[in-house]
Amino acid sequence: MEIKTFHGGVHPAEHKELSKESPLTPLLPKGELVYMTNQHIGKPASPVVKKGDHVLAGQLIAEAGGFVSANIVSSVSGTVKAVEPRKNASGGSAMAIVVENDGEYTLAEGVGVESDTANLSNQELLAKIQKAGIVGMGGAGFPTHVKLTVKAPEKIDYVIANGAECEPYITCDDQLMRTRSAEIVEGLEYMLRLFPNARGVVVIENNKPEAIAAMEKACQGHDRVYVQPVLTKYPQGGERSLITVITQKHLKLGMLPADAGCVVDNVGTVYAIYRAVKFNEPLMERGFTVSGDAVRNPGNFWVKIGTSHQELVDACGGFEQEPKKVLSGGPMMGFAMTGLEAPICKNNNALTCLTVDEVEIAESEMTACLRCGRCSRACPLGLSPQLMQVAAIRKDYDRYEHKLYGLDCIGCGCCTYGCPAKRPLMQLFKTTKAEIMAMKKR
Ligand code: SF4
Ligand code: SF4
């Protein structure tokens, strides 16, 4: 099949060899588990348990705070130790439920029990996904039932399962596709019931031949589902890049995927849909990569939501060298963590521990802008990072937002990566976006 790609983008060193052959090893947590009530986009969930309550794995512990929100369940059985503010991976504090694991992993009634899916109505299907608390697992954390509730389902042409995994170092989706391909296809089939005219397509970068082969085999006999290999180029896994590759349509700034006839979900999310619909299983576990040259034995894990990052580092044999920088996510879109005690949330897919802080080195070598235009050529959205940086530095927010469309920046880092003057463009754009959004809120 033809290998497709999109305009712009960059080719950072992949570093996937560190963990790509490591299977998704189940990790049973030893310590307490922490469930942040704001681990999704939308309103935080409201705790429905209190200190001293005994809970089972799969039991609801925090109820969605509205339609754009998500339920949260305990991923272990045990006792609620506290309902109190805790720090998340970015260092921010939010209300959390802390459960002392009893090591029994006793499931709540009905969880994991196979159900008859043949006669489910679309409403019942969506209700199962909503009840399971599924959110975008590629990083976004947007509640999946909201994404699947579109105004005109008959106008959706493609349900895209995002298996691009274009961030350097991260390989957990690769392993998921290699080992749970039939389940991902079944999850896609459930999603396709909601969209009568759509086809399901699994998009995979061509640096994952084993995943492509496994998914192609699983698609055999499923007329509405196929695999589309794409060129290995960052940020191929971005929603806009995927839509351009599959439909040849360019999402205009401000448009949603559904406006281009698409629904996009990460392959991990599709797998979670399969578990929820077929086995009444809420989102309790996920694939996770621990990598980077500071880690003794990098690898992939099947981890319970709420486990601390420290437990994962311990499972890798600790650090080979003291890390200079620890990132939640990968080096392109991840963010620096202040401590490893923070819990894994539904939308966290990786921990990258580096012995060299590339940003620090880049900033120490920064020179004036050379006006070479490389950043504009690299931007997958066709933005003008060179002009955006001038407006951002001058705090000309009106020009930044309305003339240069700076709020549409997805923070992919392609401009920073390609800049010969080592200008920290993406970091500047993230700060500027946060400042503008804060001003709007005020
Ligand atoms: S790539 Fe860097 S040096 Fe070149 S125009 Fe953009 S900001 Fe300036
Ligand atoms: S960080 Fe923003 S401006 Fe820079 S390349 Fe990505 S989308 Fe374009």
Side-chain angles (χ1 to χ4, degrees):
M1 185 179 273
E2 183 198 355
I3 309 285
K4 296 184 175 181
T5 192
F6 63 98
H7 166 80
V10 292
H11 298 274
E14 295 178 23
H15 299 291
K16 301 220 184 227
E17 69 288 349
L18 292 175
S19 60
K20 69 185 284 234
E21 298 306 330
S22 163
L24 290 163
T25 307
L27 181 81
L28 294 180
K30 297 185 190 84
E32 63 182 27
L33 288 103
V34 177
Y35 306 94
M36 308 301 297
T37 56
N38 66 345
Q39 55 181 299
H40 49 258
I41 287 177
K43 285 198 175 165
S46 308
V48 294
V49 291
K50 58 183 186 318
K51 186 177 173 183
D53 285 354
H54 188 257
V55 293
L56 300 173
Q59 179 180 329
L60 184 76
I61 54 171
E63 200 167 40
F67 185 61
V68 186
S69 182
N71 288 337
I72 295 168
V73 301
S74 180
S75 56
V76 297
S77 54
T79 306
V80 177
K81 205 169 139 186
V83 180
E84 62 184 22
R86 287 289 181 107
K87 282 191 174 170
N88 59 22
S90 63
S93 186
M95 191 54 74
I97 297 155
V98 185
V99 173
E100 189 67 51
N101 181 10
D102 65 10
E104 301 285 332
Y105 304 100
T106 313
L107 290 173
E109 196 182 342
V111 172
V113 177
E114 188 166 348
S115 62
D116 177 16
T117 59
N119 300 313
L120 284 175
S121 69
N122 286 0
Q123 281 72 20
E124 287 168 330
L125 217 137
L126 272 172
K128 275 186 170 235
I129 294 166
Q130 183 171 8
K131 188 178 170 204
I134 299 172
V135 304
M137 292 169 73
F142 192 75
T144 302
H145 64 277
V146 181
K147 206 179 232 188
L148 297 178
T149 309
V150 302
K151 272 188 195 152
E154 69 284 356
K155 290 190 179 161
I156 297 297
D157 301 317
Y158 293 98
V159 175
I160 301 174
N162 182 2
E165 200 167 55
C166 57
E167 264 276 357
Y169 291 96
I170 306 177
T171 58
C172 54
D173 282 350
D174 183 2
Q175 278 293 330
L176 189 76
M177 291 185 286
R178 290 197 213 181
T179 54
R180 294 166 206 200
S181 48
E183 292 87 343
I184 292 170
V185 170
E186 199 167 329
L188 252 182
E189 291 280 13
Y190 293 140
M191 295 168 80
L192 287 170
R193 288 196 202 171
L194 304 171
F195 307 106
N197 301 317
R199 295 187 73 195
V201 49
V202 187
V203 181
I204 311 174
E205 283 192 338
N206 63 349
N207 61 352
K208 304 174 193 61
E210 299 89 351
I212 291 172
M215 289 305 313
E216 279 180 341
K217 192 170 172 210
C219 286
Q220 282 169 14
H222 294 265
D223 296 345
R224 291 176 72 192
V225 182
Y226 68 100
V227 174
Q228 177 61 61
V230 288
L231 201 66
T232 301
K233 186 167 70 165
Y234 179 85
Q236 181 60 75
E239 227 169 41
R240 285 165 188 270
S241 311
L242 288 169
I243 290 169
T244 302
V245 159
I246 298 303
T247 67
Q248 309 308 313
K249 290 180 193 166
H250 294 275
L251 266 197
K252 288 198 189 114
L253 300 175
M255 279 169 69
L256 295 171
D259 297 327
C262 295
V263 167
V264 184
D265 267 310
N266 172 265
V267 285
T269 312
V270 178
Y271 179 72
I273 289 172
Y274 160 78
R275 299 291 311 176
V277 174
K278 188 154 185 178
F279 294 104
N280 295 311
E281 192 179 284
L283 182 51
M284 300 193 281
E285 301 171 318
R286 63 157 302 141
F288 194 90
T289 301
V290 184
S291 193
D293 48 4
V295 178
R296 195 175 299 278
N297 301 305
N300 289 309
F301 295 89
W302 193 245
V303 63
K304 296 198 181 291
I305 308 291
T307 305
S308 78
H309 286 79
Q310 182 65 58
E311 283 209 44
L312 279 150
V313 171
D314 293 346
C316 292
F319 291 126
E320 179 97 345
Q321 292 178 54
E322 195 55 34
K324 181 83 174 161
K325 192 163 201 176
V326 176
L327 296 163
S328 173
M332 298 299 282
M333 286 191 84
F335 53 86
M337 289 180 67
T338 49
L340 289 169
E341 65 283 353
I344 309 291
C345 291
K346 294 173 184 176
N347 60 338
N348 295 145
N349 60 355
L351 181 72
T352 309
C353 307
L354 304 171
T355 51
V356 178
D357 185 341
E358 284 162 12
V359 174
E360 206 173 86
I361 290 173
E363 282 178 0
S364 69
E365 294 171 357
M366 184 174 80
T367 64
C369 172
L370 309 170
R371 300 188 183 182
C372 64
R374 275 198 212 174
C375 50
S376 300
R377 289 195 291 279
C379 180
L381 268 73
L383 298 174
S384 304
Q386 182 197 347
L387 302 177
M388 282 161 60
Q389 69 166 330
V390 175
I393 291 166
R394 287 183 184 156
K395 297 205 179 295
D396 185 350
Y397 293 154
D398 185 51
R399 177 171 163 74
Y400 186 86
E401 179 181 355
H402 298 112
K403 296 266 177 0
L404 301 171
Y405 305 104
L407 292 190
D408 283 288
C409 166
I410 55 170
C412 67
C414 288
C415 49
T416 315
Y417 181 83
C419 175
K422 309 283 185 202
R423 302 195 62 81
L425 300 165
M426 181 260 275
Q427 294 79 359
L428 175 66
F429 301 155
K430 276 192 174 172
T431 315
T432 304
K433 191 171 188 172
E435 279 176 21
I436 295 174
M437 297 314 285
M439 273 170 52
K440 282 178 187 281
K441 213 172 176 181
R442 280 199 296 274

